Amino acid sequence: MIVITGGAGMIGSIIAWHLNTKLNRDDIVIVDHITHEEQWQNLAHRKYAHYLDKDQLMNWLENRTDIEAIIHMGAISATTERDFNKLVETNIQYSQNLWTWCAENRVPFFYASSAATYGDGNLGYDDASIDHLRPLNGYGYSKHFFDQWALRQTGNKSPAPPSWAGFKFFNVYGPNEYHKERMASVAFHTFNQFSQTGTMKLFKGTKAGVEDGMQMRDFVYVKDAASVVSYFLESAINKNPAPSSIYNIGTGKARSFKDLATAVMTGMSREPHITYIDMPQDLQGKYQYFTEATMSKLASAGYKQPFHSLEEGVRDYVQNYLMQEDKYC
C-alpha cells in the first residue's frame, strides 16, 4: 500500500490520479484533514483503499508491514500563516514523526519542500547546497528547517528511510487547487476574475527594474510535479532507487505573471485584458520577484520526461478542467 498525506490537496490528489491512471494502482491510503466544504471533490474520481484524518495516521501505522512508501504532501501551505507554533507542529514535528517511522520500518519516504525556502532569490536557486538560505516567512522557514534536519540525519548516520527525497516545488498550478482560495495559483485567479469582470488584476512593478506584471516565476504544471514524484516512487519500489536528496521541481525557465495571465485568457479564446494594482501591504518585503529552478540535479537522478511549457500546461488546465462543468481531475 502507498500512503499519500495531503491526498485531498492539489498535488496529493494529482499524485493519486497519476497512480490510478498511469500505474494502475488503487491500493492507496489517502490522509488529510479536509476543512473546505467542496474539497471532497478532489477524491470523487479517485480509487483508493482508505481515507484517514491526519491525526489518525500514526496510530494506524503501528505494526503495519504492508506499506511500500509514504508520500508526504500534507502541510500548512499558506505563506501568510502567522502562527509559528502551528507551523512547527504540522510542518516540522509531524514530518519528523513520519521520517522516523519510515526509518524504523525501512519504508521509502518522499515529502514536499518548497521554493519558498529560497527567500528573495538573492542567494540563488541551486538545490545542491541549502544551508545558507534565508526564507522570507515562517512557512518557508518551517520547510527549510525540515530540509536541513533531513540532511543532518543522513549526514551524521542517524536512522533514515532506505530511500527518500524532498521536493522543492516551485509555482505549481493546475486542477484541484480551488480550495486553496487566496493561495491558489494566478492561473486559477485569472480564469475566475477574467470570467467575472473582463480583466485580470496583476501587481505593479514596485521594485526598481521590474515592469508592471513582469514579476517572474518558475511555473510548473501539477501533472509534471506528480510525474516526478511517481518516478522516485517507482524507482524505490523496483529496488533501483534514485539518489536520496533534495530536488528542485520546476521547469528551469522563469516566466512572467503577465505571460501566465495572457496564456489563460488566450486559452479561453478571448482577447486578454490586464489591470495593474498596488501590492498589498502584507506582502511588501516578503515577496519573491524572481524564481527559476536549477534542474540539473533532477536530470542527473535519471528523470528524463519533458515538462509542459507554460502555454501547454495552461491550455490543458483551462480547456479540460476550468471550462468544463466537472472541473476536478
Side-chain angles (χ1 to χ4, degrees), residues 91-120:
N91 291 4
I92 297 176
Q93 294 172 347
Y94 194 91
S95 301
Q96 290 172 327
N97 291 338
L98 288 175
W99 172 285
T100 300
W101 187 91
C102 287
E104 292 174 348
N105 291 273
R106 310 304 297 158
V107 171
F109 179 67
F110 307 108
Y111 73 92
S113 182
S114 171
T117 58
Y118 287 112
D120 63 9

Side-chain angles (χ1 to χ4, degrees), residues 68 86 120 290:
E68 293 181 76
K86 287 172 61 177
D120 63 9
F290 177 89

Side-chain angles (χ1 to χ4, degrees), residues 160-207:
S163 176
W164 66 272
F167 302 114
K168 287 187 181 293
F169 293 113
F170 278 65
N171 280 70
V172 183
Y173 68 94
N176 295 5
E177 65 170 319
Y178 59 92
H179 65 281
K180 298 175 70 174
E181 298 180 341
R182 184 185 179 188
M183 301 308 299
S185 74
V186 171
F188 177 81
H189 289 303
T190 296
F191 180 85
N192 288 300
Q193 279 192 33
F194 190 60
S195 296
Q196 295 165 11
T197 69
T199 191
M200 174 57 188
K201 296 178 180 178
L202 296 179
F203 294 151
K204 295 177 180 178
T206 54
K207 184 178 180 180

Side-chain angles (χ1 to χ4, degrees), residues 12 18 25 32 58 91 150 178 203 239 242 276 283 299 322 324:
H18 195 99
R25 296 287 300 261
D32 215 309
M58 296 310 302
N91 291 4
Y178 59 92
F203 294 151
K239 308 302 181 183
Y276 296 102
L283 292 181
L322 293 177
Q324 301 301 315

Side-chain angles (χ1 to χ4, degrees), residues 9 26 36 46 49 65 70 89-90 99 105 116-117 193 199 205 214 224 231 273 289 309:
D26 59 9
H36 190 286
R46 300 284 62 80
T65 59
I70 291 181
E89 180 181 357
T90 301
W99 172 285
N105 291 273
T117 58
Q193 279 192 33
T199 191
M214 294 304 293
D224 293 325
Y231 167 75
H273 189 277
Y289 281 82
S309 70

